[in-house]
Each structure stands twice: as structure tokens, then as C-alpha cells.
Amino acid sequence: MSRSSGSESGTESGPESGPESGPEVIVWDTTYACPLRCSHCYSESGRRPSRQLSPPDMLRVADALVPLGPRVVALSGGEPLIVQGVFEVAARLRDAGVRMSVNTSGWVMNRALAGRLADHFDEVVVSLDGATPEVHDRIRGRAGSFDRVMAALALLDEVAEERLATGRKRLVFGIDCVVIRSNFGQLEDFAADIAHRFPRLRTLAFNSAVPEGLASRREFCRRELLDDAQVARLTSAEQLARLRELAPASVSVFTTDNFNLAMTPERVARRVDTPVMQVEPDGRVRGIPVYEGTVGSLLEEPAALLWERTLDRLKDPFVVETLSSVHSMQTWAEAVRRMDLRFGSPEDLARIRRRSVRTNPPEFTAVAQ
């Protein structure tokens, strides 16, 4: 799935927040199973074992997260809507007062599923990476994915309208676009065309691709990762104003460079970013989101202890030195590669070695059937 900063706007959360206050947002990758093969996938979903838990163990993880007091838990993947027990997890967390969000590619959407999403989630975020089939399908790695996601958005729109008319719980849904060079020229098309097709659409977010996972590959960085000038343009006040002008007045438009996820020592010291915890499908917690390497399992140890280990990793001399070098998208990608090799498990390192090292990988030029 896509990467975002943990809030709709992607803006900084202010000096009163920070890692020591506990994770405000928890991103839980519920599975690595996925029908798509996205060129920028941070988790390499669809290319590795799913590692998803049984429904009872998923509820154990949900219960373990509650004492941390997160504002939002975002279920992602892979494709979370193919995971058995995902609605029970959402119900458990919402009963504990946690806002629930889910990220989906829309591939498996149907009318009944759209209704269940409205009942269990505060927000449904749909990934759309191209304003045309040619661009979206190539980035997402499967022919027909654009048609599927547009049909999913239409279903969500219909259900949202029906629920509004009958006074039932609202269905809030938005579009999330991971911005890379292939779709950089289509941003205005999203706002001027796509957003107008769905009257009940609430948000349209443009998030610069984070150079992690497959997006940290050198060939991806050369061909698809935004350069610094493009990032500056994406997040400029002028660009945001233009996109908001083109979009319907009812749609909130956001742009972000996602640099809050880099966790550089300078930003950590200023405590300006939303604290985020990332949970892998098997219940293990990443030491720092974006970078490979875990600090323990929620099925085995208290969540508060794992959060403390996250904070300790931020103080590790190697981490401080490596992340101090991040001042551009390319230096961030280099830091990701260094961090992954340092903290990744033997399984992680073997997967990294299997990544394409060809100059022109097929996902940059063709769409799988």
C-alpha cells in the first residue's frame, strides 16, 4: 500500500507532540498478500509470504495496542480487505475509542463490502496512482487495476449517498495518490477530472513516494523517485492552491513530501512530527517505520516496552549518524539502504538481495496481464 504521514494533511503536529508521548498513529500491515505488484511497494506485498495472523491472534494484537492510547489505527497491507477477521479487529479497537482507517486498492470491492466498511471504519482510503488506465496499471503492475479502483470508488460513492439519505452512519472515503515521476504530470487531472466523478468523495491526498522497500532500489530512484525540485513543486503553496481550485469545493486536498517519516535527528529533537508505530502482519513491531528491523512481538511483550525500544533505536549512534545525512530524496534512499542492511533480519536481507538489479525492470515499462 501507499505511504502517508499518518494524518490527512500530512502536516507537522506541533512542538507539543513527539515520540515520548507515545504513538499517535499506528499503521498495521495486516498481510503481505496482495493482488497487485506495485513498483513502489514499501512492503513488497504480493512477492513474499503473507505472514498474516489467525483471527484470534489479530484480536490479541488489537488488545495489546489499546493501552498505548493511539488516536488512529490504520489497517493496511498488502490488501487488508482479503484478511479474515479484519472487521472484528476494527470493531474491537473502535469499542476502545480508537479511530479506525483502512487503506485498500479497491481490487476486491463489492457493494456488501462497502457497507461493512461504513459500519466499521471512520475513513476508507483508496489508492489511485494514475488518472488514466495506462499510468495507473503500469505503476500498480496489473492490467485492469484502474477500472477496478474506479468501480470501487463508484460503489463507495453510491453507498455514502444512500447512508446519508437514510440517516445511517456516514461512509467517509478519500483517494490517496503516491506521487512518482510517471504520474507527476497528472496531478491536475486528478483534481479537475477524477475528483469530480464522485460527489461524496471527502479527501484527495498526494504523497511523495517514500524511498523504502522496492522504492529504495537504485534503479527506481533513478527513474521514478521524485527529485528535489519536483518535491518542492508538489508541496508548494502555489501547487496546493491550484489543485484545490480545480477540485470540488467539498473535497479537501493535501500534499506532502513525507519527510516526517525519515526521522532525522534534527526533526526528532524538535518533536514536530506525528509519532508513528508500524506493526508487521505477524505482530512484530518495526524499530522505526520505513526502515527494516523489528524490536519484538506484540504477542510476546507489552506494547509499551516495544515503543521504548523504538525510542532507544532513534538514539543508536549508527542511526543518528546515518539519518543525519538525509537532506534530499536521494540521500534518504541511501540512508534507507544502509539502515536496512544494518537492522534487517536474515530473511529481510535475503529478500533485499532478490530485488531486481537490472537497469530497466519490467514494471517500469510494461503491465502484467
Side-chain angles (χ1 to χ4, degrees), residues 145-224:
S145 58
F146 179 84
D147 292 340
R148 289 267 194 142
V149 71
M150 295 300 285
L153 287 164
L155 277 174
L156 292 169
D157 196 66
E158 291 174 11
V159 171
E161 175 63 27
E162 290 174 1
R163 295 179 78 91
L164 181 67
T166 55
R168 287 181 291 171
K169 180 182 176 294
R170 291 188 308 165
L171 170 58
V172 177
F173 72 100
I175 291 173
D176 180 279
C177 174
V178 178
V179 184
I180 60 178
R181 295 184 195 181
S182 285
N183 61 20
F184 191 74
Q186 293 193 328
L187 303 191
E188 291 193 3
D189 295 329
F190 276 86
D193 177 16
I194 300 294
H196 287 266
R197 302 188 195 186
F198 311 106
R200 294 298 168 186
L201 183 73
R202 291 288 300 277
T203 59
L204 177 60
F206 298 99
N207 304 294
S208 176
V210 173
E212 70 170 308
L214 293 179
S216 71
R217 292 175 294 173
R218 287 182 172 85
E219 63 272 26
F220 184 93
C221 294
R222 287 194 299 268
R223 297 177 63 92
E224 290 284 31

Side-chain angles (χ1 to χ4, degrees), residues 32 50 53 70 79 83 117 144 148 176 211 220 230 253 285 321 332 342 350:
Y32 289 143
S50 68
L53 296 171
E79 175 51 71
V83 178
L117 288 170
R148 289 267 194 142
D176 180 279
F220 184 93
Q230 290 170 319
V253 181
V285 173
E321 176 192 1
W332 189 7
R342 176 64 173 260

